[in-house]
Amino acid sequence: MAALTLLPVVGAFVLYLHPEWAPEGRVHHGELVEPPQPLARPLLTMQRGEPFSTRVWQGRWTLLRVMGDCGPECHTDIDTLSRIHRLLGADQERLQHAVALFATGTAPTLRRVMADFPGTLALHADGALGADGKREGPFAAGPGLYVLDPEVRVILRYAPGFDPFGVLEDLKRLLRYSWLG
């Protein structure tokens, strides 16, 4: 009886002495962007070249898919984002529709994406590259899926080939515990 009583205490002590056994403590599937990166300067342009104001995104969460150009995987990803949006159910109104951001997108590509996926906003991100051609700012990590908070700051990033169920789980958790948006 004494051994059964002491076993949990001894086990806890052994785990305390070996921190490599400690759980990671991570509950999100994406890569947390610390500190959150605001979209401060006008980085984005619309299909006709006019600047895009991110003020329209304020007050709602936003999914932003950043990619070089729209190949076959582009349509799959945008369709996946639309499905994630629909699966949020009652919280759909708190999230922007899927947004595609192309670093090298052309006007015909943008028009095709917007025609194939109504409600999707396709934008250029040429301003995200510095004068030396290196990426800078909130999209420095390159292509992937970015989550923007209602104050238009990048807070999460998912690498290309992201798990849609992980994104959905993270969004549900964000929307459940957030008083923003």
Side-chain angles (χ1 to χ4, degrees):
M1 187 66 109
L4 287 175
T5 306
L6 289 176
L7 187 63
V9 174
V10 171
F13 185 71
V14 168
L15 289 176
Y16 176 75
L17 292 177
H18 296 283
E20 66 272 3
W21 289 356
E24 194 175 292
R26 182 177 156 217
V27 294
H28 51 82
H29 299 273
E31 173 188 339
L32 195 59
V33 177
E34 288 194 48
Q37 298 287 314
L39 295 182
R41 59 189 174 102
L43 297 171
L44 314 175
T45 56
M46 297 177 72
Q47 86 180 47
R48 291 190 189 100
E50 61 270 12
F52 176 76
S53 173
T54 57
R55 278 186 259 152
V56 299
W57 290 346
Q58 287 181 336
R60 292 175 68 193
W61 294 86
T62 304
L63 284 179
L64 187 63
R65 176 64 171 104
V66 176
M67 56 190 90
D69 200 4
C70 193
E73 73 282 348
C74 163
H75 280 69
T76 304
D77 284 356
I78 295 173
D79 183 53
T80 300
L81 296 180
S82 296
R83 290 171 190 261
I84 289 171
H85 186 259
R86 285 192 301 272
L87 286 171
L88 285 173
D91 284 329
Q92 283 183 40
E93 294 301 316
R94 298 177 64 195
L95 181 75
Q96 299 288 341
H97 284 282
V99 177
L101 183 65
F102 303 91
T104 58
T106 60
T109 302
L110 299 178
R111 279 194 297 273
R112 186 180 71 229
V113 168
M114 291 170 66
D116 291 348
F117 299 98
T120 298
L121 183 60
L123 302 167
H124 288 286
D126 296 326
L129 297 176
D132 57 359
K134 293 183 181 176
R135 289 187 185 99
E136 58 184 33
F139 308 121
L145 176 65
Y146 293 84
V147 177
L148 282 66
D149 70 6
E151 295 177 4
V152 195
R153 297 176 300 189
V154 176
I155 61 165
L156 277 175
R157 179 187 182 274
Y158 299 87
F162 55 89
D163 173 24
F165 295 107
V167 173
L168 180 63
E169 187 177 317
D170 285 352
L171 285 172
K172 284 182 176 181
R173 188 177 303 113
L174 277 171
L175 295 172
R176 183 175 345 133
Y177 294 115
S178 173
W179 62 90
L180 300 172

